[in-house]
Amino acid sequence: MAIPTSSIDAVIPSGPVAETAPPAAARRRRLRFVANPKAATGLVILGIFLLIAVIGPWIAPYDPSARGADLVAPPSGEHWFGTTHLGQDIFSQVLVGTRGVIFVGFLAGAVATVLSVLIGVTAGYLGGAADEGLSALSNVFLVIPALPLVIILASTIQSAGDLVVALVIGFTSWAWGARVLRAQTLSLRRRDYVEAARASGESTWRIVLFEILPNLTAIIASNFVGTVIFAVMSEITLAFIGISTISEWNWGTILFWAQSQQALAQGAWWWFVPAGLAIALLGTALSLVNFGIDEFVSPRLRSSGKAKVRTADGRVVRMRVGFTPVLAAPTSTPPPVPEGAAVLTNAEGKAAGR
């Protein structure tokens, strides 16, 4: 039996075919993280610090330990950040000290992140006895204080340097991240796509790498950034309290000498302000990168204050996080009532409806 053309058109409308996204749009989606103002600002500041950490000792105008004739001199064309009580150039000390801070922070963050991923994801996916054992190990490391342990090791081991400090902080800072990853893995391992991959015969390592880890990227990145911030502050704290077995110059060492020589009482603000600003800028950069990661993976945060909805009458409503937009009724006049038509009140209408 022949089907009329009108019936075919009713079933399959002859409208325009949806076009695929142009290459420019796809490229914008891939670069959405870099396009985020917070993430871009944090990455630029962080990149500057990484560059200084690499080339800082080469571009330093003076030897940071060399003494000079200008004692506690304010900033000038010869000494951009002034000098110390021994005539040492503070600008050179800040440049050279950046390497130790960045090295300890990123190495400790990498070690802690790798351990938290290995232990947390393994415990959450395997379950059973493996989960119990790894969870118990995580609970033990949760109560180990990193900073006192570093102080004890630095006082005991005479040759303890930046590497020892970074490894101790990394090996004692992974437990919290592992607990979070374990909880998320327990939630993901029973999802439909994981069950489908397991039913199709995929190996365990392939399911973990390609099905579970991509959904944990935001948590892993956040743990890494948080550990870097903690390691940087710990390393600076150790130098500030006078642990001399770590690197000779870092930002904490500058603050230690400024405090011990009463730079604030002498009015030598240039002695401690540059190092303090460097610490604040590095922490701000890492925090901005963390905020950018959260907004990149969370559509609710990404659309904060940006998504717009156009109503039927042409008005634009801006979506905001935490608020549900309620559109007011249109202000158009009601249609005229024909002559002779009965007009019911609300009470009469309800009665008629019953």
Side-chain angles (χ1 to χ4, degrees):
M1 181 180 64
I3 301 176
T5 307
S6 58
S7 301
I8 298 177
D9 293 339
V11 176
I12 307 176
S14 58
V17 181
E19 298 180 358
T20 58
R27 189 161 51 250
R28 282 195 300 270
R29 285 196 298 269
R30 288 194 297 267
L31 300 178
R32 185 180 296 163
F33 175 71
V34 182
N36 186 295
K38 297 177 183 178
T41 304
L43 289 175
V44 169
I45 299 175
L46 190 59
I48 293 174
F49 278 113
L50 291 175
L51 181 63
I52 293 176
V54 174
I55 66 175
W58 302 338
I59 64 175
Y62 301 95
D63 183 356
S65 302
R67 303 185 179 186
D70 300 328
L71 306 181
V72 198
S76 61
E78 187 176 0
H79 301 283
W80 290 2
F81 290 171
T83 60
T84 66
H85 65 297
L86 299 176
Q88 299 166 334
D89 185 63
I90 299 177
F91 180 66
S92 300
Q93 293 177 356
V94 173
L95 291 179
V96 175
T98 305
R99 174 175 293 183
V101 173
I102 297 297
F103 174 78
V104 171
F106 278 81
L107 180 59
V111 171
T113 302
V114 171
L115 290 176
S116 64
V117 171
L118 288 177
I119 296 177
V121 176
T122 301
Y125 184 78
L126 295 180
D131 184 16
E132 295 293 336
L134 294 176
S135 297
L137 181 64
S138 300
N139 294 333
V140 171
F141 274 86
L142 274 175
V143 299
I144 295 179
L147 191 59
L149 182 60
V150 173
I151 294 176
I152 294 174
L153 291 178
S155 304
T156 305
I157 305 175
Q158 298 297 326
S159 60
D162 288 341
L163 180 60
V164 175
V165 173
L167 291 179
V168 171
I169 295 175
F171 279 109
T172 54
S173 304
W174 58 267
W176 178 255
R179 296 288 295 179
V180 176
L181 290 174
R182 172 185 173 272
Q184 292 297 321
T185 306
L186 287 173
S187 174
L188 292 175
R189 70 175 184 174
R190 294 305 178 189
R191 299 290 177 88
D192 292 340
Y193 59 89
V194 177
E195 293 290 351
R198 189 183 295 112
S200 63
E202 296 287 348
S203 59
T204 301
W205 69 269
R206 187 174 180 85
I207 295 175
V208 171
L209 288 180
F210 295 98
E211 303 294 344
I212 294 180
L213 281 183
N215 294 282
L216 300 175
T217 304
I219 301 176
I220 295 173
S222 180
N223 289 338
F224 173 76
V225 173
T227 307
V228 170
I229 295 176
F230 172 74
V232 167
M233 298 307 299
S234 299
E235 201 256 359
I236 293 173
T237 302
L238 291 173
F240 181 74
I241 64 179
I243 303 298
S244 58
T245 53
I246 59 177
S247 62
E248 184 178 3
W249 284 111
N250 59 60
W251 300 337
T253 307
I254 299 173
L255 296 177
F256 166 77
W257 286 110
Q259 188 272 338
S260 62
Q261 298 300 320
Q262 299 181 354
L264 183 61
Q266 300 181 43
W269 56 267
W270 58 87
W271 200 340
F272 54 86
V273 168
L277 287 177
I279 297 171
L281 281 176
L282 180 58
T284 301
L286 293 171
S287 300
L288 289 175
V289 172
N290 195 11
F291 295 155
I293 294 172
D294 291 339
E295 294 183 4
F296 177 72
V297 299
S298 175
R300 184 176 178 84
L301 295 176
R302 185 166 60 244
S303 61
S304 174
K306 296 180 181 179
K308 298 179 180 180
V309 176
R310 184 174 297 276
T311 62
D313 57 353
R315 293 183 295 120
V316 176
V317 177
R318 183 181 295 274
M319 305 286 288
R320 297 177 57 194
V321 173
F323 296 91
T324 301
V326 179
L327 305 181
T331 58
S332 59
T333 58
V337 180
E339 283 187 26
V343 179
L344 300 179
T345 62
N346 291 337
E348 293 172 345
K350 292 180 179 178
R354 289 197 298 269

